[in-house]
Amino acid sequence: MKKISIVIPMYYEEQVAEECYKRVTNVLKSIENYDYEIIFINDGSKDKTLDILEKLAQNDGKVKVISFSRNFGHQAAVTAGLKYVSGDAVIIMDADLQDPPELIPDMLKYWENGYDVIYGKRKKREGESVFKLLTAKVFYETLNKLSDVEIPKDTGDFRLVDKKVVDVINNLPEHNKFLRGLFSWVGFKQYAYEYERKERVAGKTKYPLKKMIKLAKDGIFSFSTKPLKIVGGLGIISVIISIVILVYAILSYAYNWNNLTAGWTSMMCTMTFLGGVILISLWMIGEYIGRIYEETKQRPQYIIEKTINI
Ligand code: UDP
Ligand code: MG
């Protein structure tokens, strides 16, 4: 019998923990021929989340709990959950039921038909602020402009993933995993599963601006070294400006325009020129650092999906 593992991170989710367990369990019981496990990760909540999870685990052997010593963040919690899964397919979802568990049976069909990653793509988002929608849009646009891999827009971490893909992710040595980027980066047969993202059933978002900025930074800097190259462009612009000023100054002396204060030319030229040279040098160092950074991530150069006659 095939087994499904559900991974659910929780940070101060005492208001939704039980309801989350019930809804997920109902769905999983309704689909026959599959065994299942639910792995909850308590990401250092100091409310009753852990107590509730402990009780659930006492009464139901299918519930497994990982509890962090402190708050390490959503991505770390999901990463930890993925290490402990034992199922053939793994589903990652939020605790607040914004990603409806009722979609699981349908997603499973795509998995049975040969897809390895079925990622949730939000075609509608209910109950989310204009600010959240706007920042999300700006983030995904920027990320896609900068990044070397295509990271699908309007997707979060809600997805069903085949165990072999989870194994690849687990074996990546890099820390600070930006999961939705990596799941896209690893390839395999992917399916964009469109769904309507619901409102949080209770409680408030656990993603304040500070955490969103950290996530955005992880996403951009771990998938792109382009920011390092931007300083190169600034340096070139600066040098060009210094040349323009110099030409202007020479002309003004030659034709006796007499409009320049003494010292202005030398000051401006030196400043812009040196500024430019410094920025260009920084960019060159940046190119090396970028390469060192790529190497330290130790991502494999390729991932083999299957071999034949080997
Ligand atoms: N979460 C977590 N650690 C954190 C922040 C959030 O484990 O530091 C969990 C949270 O409990 C939820 C999921 O990550 O299950 C998504 O968080 P939330 O719903 O607050 O984010 P939003 O939907 O508002 O983007
Ligand atoms: Mg949410």
Side-chain angles (χ1 to χ4, degrees):
M1 192 152 67
K2 286 182 188 163
K3 186 171 176 182
I4 311 164
S5 303
I6 319 280
V7 172
I8 306 178
M10 288 200 176
Y11 182 54
Y12 284 89
E13 300 287 11
E14 60 181 13
Q15 283 172 291
V16 300
E18 261 194 80
E19 164 124 15
C20 174
Y21 164 77
K22 277 190 203 139
R23 287 252 312 259
V24 172
T25 304
N26 278 342
V27 171
L28 291 169
K29 279 198 173 140
S30 73
I31 36 180
E32 286 156 28
N33 301 327
Y34 289 103
D35 190 12
Y36 71 90
E37 65 180 355
I38 310 176
I39 302 182
F40 290 111
I41 304 95
N42 171 39
D43 183 13
S45 331
K46 293 199 176 69
D47 61 352
K48 295 211 179 62
T49 305
L50 184 59
D51 298 339
I52 298 170
L53 293 181
E54 272 171 4
K55 266 197 209 97
L56 292 175
Q58 267 164 22
N59 298 326
D60 184 347
K62 298 204 184 295
V63 173
K64 295 169 184 177
V65 180
I66 299 167
S67 187
F68 282 177
S69 58
R70 65 166 172 86
N71 181 237
F72 284 95
H74 175 218
Q75 298 290 299
V78 176
T79 305
L82 293 180
K83 290 262 183 220
Y84 290 89
V85 295
S86 61
D88 305 286
V90 178
I91 293 164
I92 304 168
M93 49 181 280
D94 287 354
D96 57 7
L97 299 167
Q98 284 194 282
D99 315 315
E102 288 72 22
L103 300 177
I104 292 173
D106 200 32
M107 292 171 101
L108 275 171
K109 283 186 204 145
Y110 287 93
W111 177 58
E112 292 289 3
N113 284 330
Y115 284 102
D116 300 309
V117 178
I118 296 105
Y119 60 89
K121 187 168 164 62
R122 302 148 183 182
K123 59 177 180 198
K124 212 169 126 195
R125 299 170 77 146
E126 279 171 23
E128 287 189 286
S129 64
V130 178
F131 177 71
K132 179 108 188 181
L133 296 179
L134 190 77
T135 45
K137 194 172 155 56
V138 171
F139 169 59
Y140 283 107
E141 295 285 344
T142 322
L143 187 58
N144 268 314
K145 284 239 161 59
L146 293 178
S147 156
D148 310 323
V149 274
E150 171 101 18
I151 297 172
K153 273 177 216 160
D154 293 320
T155 54
D157 287 318
F158 180 42
R159 60 190 68 223
L160 188 153
V161 189
D162 190 275
K163 184 67 190 335
K164 69 177 178 227
V165 182
V166 172
D167 287 340
V168 170
I169 297 278
N170 283 343
N171 287 326
L172 292 178
E174 71 189 82
H175 293 282
N176 252 335
K177 291 189 175 132
F178 180 65
L179 289 167
R180 58 196 81 164
L182 287 173
F183 276 119
S184 167
W185 177 82
V186 294
F188 294 95
K189 280 177 217 70
Q190 307 238 354
Y191 184 82
Y193 185 89
E194 291 205 341
Y195 75 109
E196 280 178 27
R197 189 156 157 98
K198 301 280 180 242
E199 244 173 286
R200 208 175 221 287
V201 285
K204 279 205 294 270
T205 175
K206 304 301 176 309
Y207 256 100
L209 186 62
K210 205 174 127 201
K211 281 189 176 161
M212 284 203 294
I213 291 175
K214 181 177 182 300
L215 183 74
K217 263 180 24 203
D218 282 347
I220 289 170
F221 291 113
S222 65
F223 278 89
S224 165
T225 50
K226 281 191 194 134
L228 281 174
K229 292 167 189 160
I230 292 172
V231 286
L234 292 177
I236 291 169
I237 292 172
S238 196
V239 169
I240 292 173
I241 292 174
S242 82
I243 293 170
V244 171
I245 293 175
L246 192 65
V247 170
Y248 173 68
I250 291 169
L251 288 177
S252 116
Y253 281 118
Y255 295 100
N256 252 332
W257 290 340
N258 262 342
N259 56 346
L260 296 178
T261 320
W264 184 88
T265 322
S266 51
M267 276 287 286
M268 285 307 282
C269 282
T270 333
M271 263 173 53
T272 45
F273 184 73
L274 273 183
V277 169
I278 291 170
L279 284 174
I280 290 173
S281 326
L282 275 181
W283 159 53
M284 284 178 180
I285 295 173
E287 286 285 343
Y288 289 107
I289 294 180
R291 281 166 179 73
I292 296 170
Y293 177 58
E294 288 298 331
E295 289 298 322
T296 53
K297 276 189 288 193
Q298 290 189 37
R299 275 185 207 162
Q301 250 186 317
Y302 50 79
I303 297 160
I304 295 171
E305 187 171 351
K306 72 175 166 204
T307 52
I308 295 164
N309 281 348
I310 285 182

